Amino acid sequence: MAGRIRQSDVDEVKARTNIADIVGEHVSLKSAGVGSLKGLCPFHDERSPSFHVRPQLGYYHCFGCGESGDVYTFLQRMDHVTFAEAVERLAGRIGLELHYEDGGPASDHGNRARLLAANQAAWEFFVDRLSSPEAEPGRRFLGERGFDAEAARHFGVGFAPKSWDALTNHLKGRGFSTEELAAAGLVSQGDRGVYDRFRGRLIWPIRDVTGQTVGFGARRLLDDDQGPKYLNTPETAIYHKAQVLYGLDLAKRDIAKTRRVVLVEGYTDVMACHLAGVTTAIATSGTSFGVDHIKVLRRVLGDDSNVGEVVFTFDGDAAGQQAAMRAFAEEQRFAAQTYVAVAPDGLDPCDLRLARGDAAVRALVETKTPMFEFVLRHTLARYDLETVEGRVSALRAAAPVVAEIRDPALRPGYTRELARMLGMELAEVTRAVRSSGGRPGGTREGDRGGERGPRSEAHGAGRPESNGGAGAQSGAMDGGPAASERPFSIAQLPNDPATRLERDALQAMLQYPDTVGSELLRQGVDCRFGNATLAVVRDGIASAMAAAPANAGGGTFTVDRVVAEVPAPFASIVQQLAVLPVPQRGDAELTSYVRGVVAGLVDRELLRQKQELLGRLQRTDRSDTATFAAVQQALVTLEQERRALRGD
């Protein structure tokens, strides 16, 4: 794993990336005044746009839900990637080679980009071949399962021709080497040399959470194909089957929005669910559901409370029952509530949709069974409850299941349910549950300190520019903050004239420091503030100016620098002031406005100083001529400053 990305590279990538381009891929942005854009917030539902972007400063802020940050934060929240992954993605867009510190190995970003490009080119090839005459078996397969051409297009389904090297030759013609194709898992090596890994098969693209194609799943179609029913891309530098979930790129927004994810078993099940309206369905790719999958899902779910739902769907056969039990073994790693949905007659979602329609697929998910209830029934089914010995053995097996229920409000109810299922006295079952080894309060392995904890993964939200810190590069991005944890909003500031002046002046200094000018900036940060919150921002600007290099224009600073200077709870205030639109004006009026509002703040400070000097003058003994004259001269100088300021 690479080490910490060099800070200079982080800064350069950010400086060379227009945040409006990145945000614009997810949000339709319109002008909101000079240098400001706005649109509907992608992080919460709203009718009127309250999401603002300032491309010149590289920041966004939603005045509706409080989401705020820079381009790295945006990618972390939208695509559920880590800080380092966000930097690497943007570096790839601009073709910048990253350098790593802390003794980490050099980045393989260039090689990764080539493998991704090879997979993208292969996917385009497969999609094109699906309409060829030889792909008729593939089209028939789709049609028999209720999928038309539009469904195939939506899910990117393609066809690999039954050829030794059709794909190989095509990709070589696109400039890819045999070594790159092998590294991407697109070709294999045999006695006769290199040949296409996928031949005569229906192809599904497997994409990561950002939508990049990292591998493929291929379904056998022809009778003379002696290979496995499903053949996947082997482990590569970009494809790790234990970490990818098919359909997550299509489902992630609805998963994050509804706080529900539906796990199905196959590619066609995902397609059937989505077409039936269950757009949060995903599947594993050639492996069972495991710990790494959970880590990915928790980021997308925002799995930091008990409000989310994870619904597992399994076939009703013995294999499906075993899959459910394996899922239960990992259930403890979710904060969300977990459920199991088994279709009537043991049909999978694809067959259920064919047999009974879209409504049946939706009903399958809505009539889910809590995971603990499902596991209890599965556990008891192994014993003969008609005998005393069978009931005792069943109690011993089932009591730990109840003891491990993490929600203490649910545990008594399941204890009573277990007693009813067994036909035993409640007191006897309660004793068995208490002595079964379950941890007090339902705390289980994984609840303490690992990824299970709601806020165990650092997300760096308070410091979008952070490169490391509390795990900003290595930690995963978890969900948005609860309402009680949201940062202070400038909308909560008092609306009196004095506070408005301080707010508007800071806004002008943060957004247009060059227009305000170094001298007026210096005077502005020397002013006293009545609002304690805004005073901290003022101090942050002053510190950022003091830290600026001597050759940087005499106090030039960046918003990033101010964010770094203020205490973490105040970072959001800085970002909001940096994004809040100024009144819409032309360039000449803008200059007049931003200098005028800062000058107004300075004028207020000079007036305060004048009143202090007048009081001092009244208190001065006229016999002390030197002191009296000095105070008078200070008043004259101050009045000259005020006239000059107002004239400017």
Side-chain angles (χ1 to χ4, degrees):
M1 180 177 179
R4 183 176 184 269
I5 302 173
R6 194 164 64 187
Q7 185 63 45
S8 59
D9 286 353
V10 173
D11 295 340
E12 183 173 357
V13 169
K14 185 174 179 180
R16 290 172 56 181
T17 299
N18 186 342
I19 189 174
D21 293 340
I22 306 303
V23 175
E25 295 177 358
H26 304 271
V27 180
S28 178
L29 296 173
K30 297 181 180 180
S31 175
V34 179
S36 181
L37 301 168
K38 68 179 179 180
L40 293 175
C41 180
F43 304 118
H44 81 288
D45 290 328
E46 61 178 4
R47 294 182 179 272
S48 300
S50 58
F51 183 83
H52 290 258
V53 180
R54 299 286 301 198
Q56 182 179 1
L57 298 175
Y59 275 92
Y60 69 87
H61 181 79
C62 177
F63 292 93
C65 68
E67 286 290 342
S68 185
D70 63 1
V71 68
Y72 297 137
T73 314
F74 184 82
L75 284 180
Q76 288 179 273
R77 289 286 289 119
M78 282 301 299
D79 292 333
H80 308 281
V81 296
T82 64
F83 179 87
E85 288 168 341
V87 177
E88 289 167 350
R89 282 187 60 191
L90 295 179
R93 288 175 66 110
I94 63 175
L96 177 69
E97 180 181 357
L98 296 174
H99 302 84
Y100 295 79
E101 299 174 350
D102 301 340
S107 171
D108 64 348
H109 184 76
N111 181 55
R112 175 182 172 84
R114 289 292 293 172
L115 300 187
L116 289 170
N119 274 296
Q120 177 67 18
W123 172 69
E124 293 169 357
F125 173 84
F126 293 141
V127 169
D128 180 67
R129 290 304 180 97
L130 184 61
S131 60
S132 66
E134 64 179 322
E136 194 278 332
R139 296 193 297 272
R140 184 171 65 250
F141 176 93
L142 292 171
E144 290 172 350
R145 285 156 181 78
F147 306 126
D148 57 16
E150 176 58 26
R153 184 203 62 77
H154 179 70
F155 291 96
V157 183
F159 178 77
K162 187 181 179 183
S163 169
W164 183 260
D165 54 8
L167 176 64
T168 301
N169 292 334
H170 174 77
L171 294 180
K172 283 185 175 180
R174 296 283 298 272
F176 294 99
S177 67
T178 301
E179 291 74 19
E180 288 173 330
L181 300 183
L186 295 169
V187 300
S188 299
Q189 180 72 44
D191 295 338
R192 295 169 52 190
V194 172
Y195 60 92
D196 293 353
R197 177 177 177 83
F198 306 113
R199 304 186 307 282
R201 288 179 172 248
L202 202 60
I203 300 290
W204 282 267
I206 300 172
R207 300 184 175 112
D208 64 14
V209 71
T210 69
Q212 298 181 101
T213 301
V214 295
F216 299 94
R219 210 285 187 182
R220 185 180 62 207
L221 297 171
L222 307 176
D223 293 337
D224 60 353
D225 187 339
Q226 301 302 309
K229 183 177 179 180
Y230 281 96
L231 179 66
N232 282 41
T233 295
E235 290 286 311
T236 70
I238 61 173
Y239 176 75
H240 306 286
K241 63 183 180 181
Q243 298 175 2
V244 294
L245 290 157
Y246 175 73
L248 186 57
D249 58 307
L250 298 175
K252 63 181 180 182
R253 289 194 187 181
D254 285 347
I255 290 173
K257 179 179 178 180
T258 64
R259 305 295 291 274
R260 170 191 277 183
V261 62
V262 178
L263 283 149
V264 298
E265 293 196 324
Y267 306 128
T268 57
D269 292 331
V270 171
M271 295 175 69
C273 283
H274 279 249
L275 294 175
V278 183
T279 55
T280 59
I282 59 174
T284 59
S285 300
T287 186
S288 59
F289 187 72
V291 174
D292 288 336
H293 293 130
I294 293 173
K295 291 179 180 179
V296 173
L297 269 186
R298 289 192 68 240
R299 294 202 298 265
V300 179
L301 268 173
D303 188 37
D304 57 359
S305 69
N306 291 328
V307 300
E309 292 184 359
V310 180
V311 182
F312 295 89
T313 67
F314 300 105
D315 293 343
D317 57 16
Q321 298 280 315
Q322 290 302 315
M325 296 306 293
R326 287 195 300 270
F328 173 66
E330 304 296 347
E331 185 274 346
Q332 62 181 342
R333 299 178 184 274
F334 284 109
Q337 299 297 317
T338 53
Y339 299 86
V340 173
V342 178
D345 303 325
L347 298 175
D348 59 35
C350 183
D351 291 336
L352 180 64
R353 178 172 179 261
L354 279 175
R356 305 187 184 183
D358 292 347
V361 177
R362 295 192 294 271
L364 167 65
V365 176
E366 295 305 327
T367 55
K368 59 193 180 293
T369 300
M371 174 70 83
F372 283 105
E373 179 181 334
F374 178 89
V375 172
L376 279 178
R377 294 186 182 280
H378 181 272
T379 301
L380 298 184
R382 304 199 306 265
Y383 300 92
D384 181 4
L385 302 185
E386 297 301 319
T387 67
V388 173
E389 291 81 4
R391 290 193 294 273
V392 171
S393 296
L395 176 59
R396 289 171 178 166
V401 175
V402 178
E404 289 188 347
I405 296 176
R406 62 176 169 269
D407 188 342
L410 293 177
R411 207 174 303 121
Y414 275 104
T415 303
R416 288 192 296 272
E417 182 66 12
L418 178 57
R420 186 194 64 77
M421 291 176 175
L422 292 170
M424 301 176 71
E425 293 294 330
L426 176 60
E428 182 180 0
V429 175
T430 300
R431 286 194 299 271
V433 169
R434 289 176 177 172
S435 62
S436 65
R439 291 175 174 79
T443 304
R444 297 179 296 172
E445 201 64 40
D447 285 358
R448 300 175 293 175
E451 77 273 3
R452 171 64 178 77
R455 297 217 161 256
S456 62
E457 298 177 270
H459 53 76
R463 305 274 178 153
E465 84 295 343
S466 174
N467 183 20
Q473 289 198 31
S474 59
M477 185 73 178
D478 60 19
S484 62
E485 299 171 341
R486 288 175 184 165
F488 182 86
S489 170
I490 58 174
Q492 298 172 248
L493 291 170
N495 197 34
D496 61 278
T499 304
R500 287 202 305 271
L501 176 62
E502 293 172 0
R503 180 200 65 193
D504 293 347
L506 289 175
Q507 180 187 356
M509 287 189 278
L510 284 167
Q511 295 186 22
Y512 300 99
D514 293 336
T515 302
V516 173
S518 58
E519 178 58 27
L520 195 53
L521 279 173
R522 183 194 60 75
Q523 292 177 287
V525 297
D526 284 343
C527 294
R528 283 170 281 187
F529 274 54
N531 184 275
T533 297
L534 296 178
V536 175
V537 178
R538 173 208 60 197
D539 294 342
I541 295 176
S543 297
M545 291 173 60
N551 61 354
T556 298
F557 62 91
T558 64
V559 173
D560 283 351
R561 185 68 253 175
V562 179
V563 170
E565 291 290 344
V566 300
F570 294 87
S572 177
I573 296 293
V574 175
Q575 293 162 0
Q576 291 175 60
L577 290 169
V579 172
L580 185 68
V582 299
Q584 189 162 352
R585 304 167 186 272
D587 291 343
E589 291 185 354
L590 177 68
T591 299
S592 176
Y593 169 77
V594 297
R595 287 187 60 83
V597 72
V598 178
L601 179 71
V602 175
D603 192 22
R604 188 188 71 173
E605 175 64 23
L606 294 177
L607 177 61
R608 180 186 289 117
Q609 293 178 17
K610 178 179 179 180
Q611 293 306 114
E612 291 176 352
L613 286 172
L614 286 172
R616 183 181 176 188
L617 190 67
Q618 291 178 350
R619 294 189 299 273
T620 300
D621 189 341
R622 288 180 177 269
S623 62
D624 186 355
T625 56
T627 300
F628 194 83
V631 175
Q632 283 186 316
Q633 183 57 48
L635 277 167
V636 171
T637 301
L638 189 147
E639 194 59 35
Q640 290 173 342
E641 290 182 23
R642 292 191 70 198
R643 285 198 296 268
L645 186 68
R646 292 180 173 185
D648 180 62

